[in-house]
Amino acid sequence: SSLNTIVFDSSCNLNSIPSNFGTGLLDLSSVILASDGSLNTIDTDAFKLSDSISTSNYTQELSDVSGFSINIPKSVSTFGEGAFRLSHVTSVEFDPSSTLTEIPNQSFSASKLSNINIPSSVVAISNEAFMGSNLSSLAFEDNSNLNNIGKHCFSDSSLNSIDLPDSVLSISNEAFSGCTNLTSIELPINLESIGDKAFSHLSGELTIPKNVTYLGNQPFGSSSLNTIVFDSSCNLNSIP
């Protein structure tokens, strides 16, 4: 299909973008969603590039197409799992008044997404949300409510730096494993738990905040870290 632009205007009564809505739209460059429309859900695999794409061949298939941008209005409060998985989305812009509370499992995994700004309404970024994606940087809105980062959330992505909001309490198993480009990460002061192999393959320097009371197995396994600093007031009870 040569379709390159899709517009949902304010009079559209569609409540959700269904699964496989964008499948086969290889020339898609822009999806525009009305800021005052009725849309509230983007379903599972809504923008999957093609029927043939998979986790074994997505790198080649995505390299052969240009990306598309999409804005997410405040009316959208729910993503289905894998809404943008295996898609050629490169840019996502959320409404400043977004009501989205979770970025579900595999939302952008193995996608062409390169950067994103997480709205303050998001409480959890779930398992494998950005795993294997082209994501190189992300930012968080002021007054973020994020408290949990799921398993393999950013693993094997192109992430090179991240500054987590102070609201984050837990980083799950292998959340940043395989992020070989990641050389800078500032952990939040309120962080309490770091899961198994959370920072494997990380390089540079890492400071563990004082409120951390749990470290999983091999949290820094296979990393190239040159320095790990534990805060002088660290509450960690044991080194696993």
Side-chain angles (χ1 to χ4, degrees):
S1 172
S2 59
L3 180 66
N4 56 51
T5 302
I6 299 174
V7 179
F8 291 78
D9 68 23
S10 58
S11 63
C12 178
N13 291 316
L14 195 66
N15 293 317
S16 66
I17 296 178
S19 297
N20 300 313
F21 173 82
T23 300
L25 302 180
L26 306 186
D27 294 321
L28 188 63
S29 62
S30 179
V31 179
I32 302 170
L33 308 180
S35 60
D36 55 351
S38 59
L39 192 70
N40 56 47
T41 302
I42 299 176
D43 284 338
T44 298
D45 288 329
F47 289 95
K48 184 178 179 181
L49 180 65
S50 68
D51 290 329
S52 62
I53 195 170
S54 69
T55 54
S56 63
N57 67 8
Y58 75 94
T59 302
Q60 180 58 49
E61 288 217 25
L62 290 177
S63 69
D64 293 338
V65 295
S66 298
F68 72 90
S69 62
I70 185 170
N71 68 294
I72 310 294
K74 64 181 180 180
S75 60
V76 174
S77 59
T78 306
F79 284 177
E81 290 192 3
F84 295 93
R85 144 179 73 197
L86 295 166
S87 78
H88 55 310
V89 64
T90 54
S91 175
V92 176
E93 182 177 352
F94 289 95
D95 187 282
S97 301
S98 175
T99 56
L100 190 71
T101 58
E102 179 191 13
I103 296 181
N105 296 347
Q106 299 188 356
S107 288
F108 297 94
S109 65
S111 73
K112 206 165 185 174
L113 184 71
S114 59
N115 59 79
I116 191 170
N117 198 1
I118 306 294
S120 60
S121 56
V122 171
V123 173
I125 302 178
S126 297
N127 299 344
E128 304 178 7
F130 297 97
M131 185 175 74
S133 70
N134 281 3
L135 188 71
S136 59
S137 65
L138 79 163
F140 297 89
E141 293 283 354
D142 292 341
N143 302 312
S144 173
N145 288 293
L146 182 69
N147 59 46
N148 182 62
I149 294 176
K151 296 177 181 178
H152 294 276
C153 185
F154 299 102
S155 63
D156 300 317
S157 69
S158 299
L159 195 64
N160 54 48
S161 67
I162 183 172
D163 187 357
L164 296 171
D166 287 336
S167 56
V168 174
L169 300 177
S170 65
I171 296 174
S172 301
N173 296 353
E174 302 190 54
F176 294 94
S177 66
C179 292
T180 56
N181 296 327
L182 186 58
T183 58
S184 174
I185 180 168
E186 184 172 342
L187 299 182
I189 59 173
N190 294 313
L191 185 66
E192 298 174 352
S193 174
I194 296 174
D196 299 350
K197 301 180 180 179
F199 300 109
S200 61
H201 303 99
L202 185 67
S203 59
E205 180 177 312
L206 189 66
T207 298
I208 307 299
K210 67 178 183 178
N211 288 326
V212 172
T213 57
Y214 175 79
L215 274 181
N217 292 324
Q218 303 178 49
F220 317 111
S222 302
S223 74
S224 299
L225 287 166
N226 51 49
T227 306
I228 300 174
V229 178
F230 288 83
D231 188 281
S232 59
S233 302
C234 182
N235 291 313
L236 191 66
N237 295 318
S238 66
I239 295 177

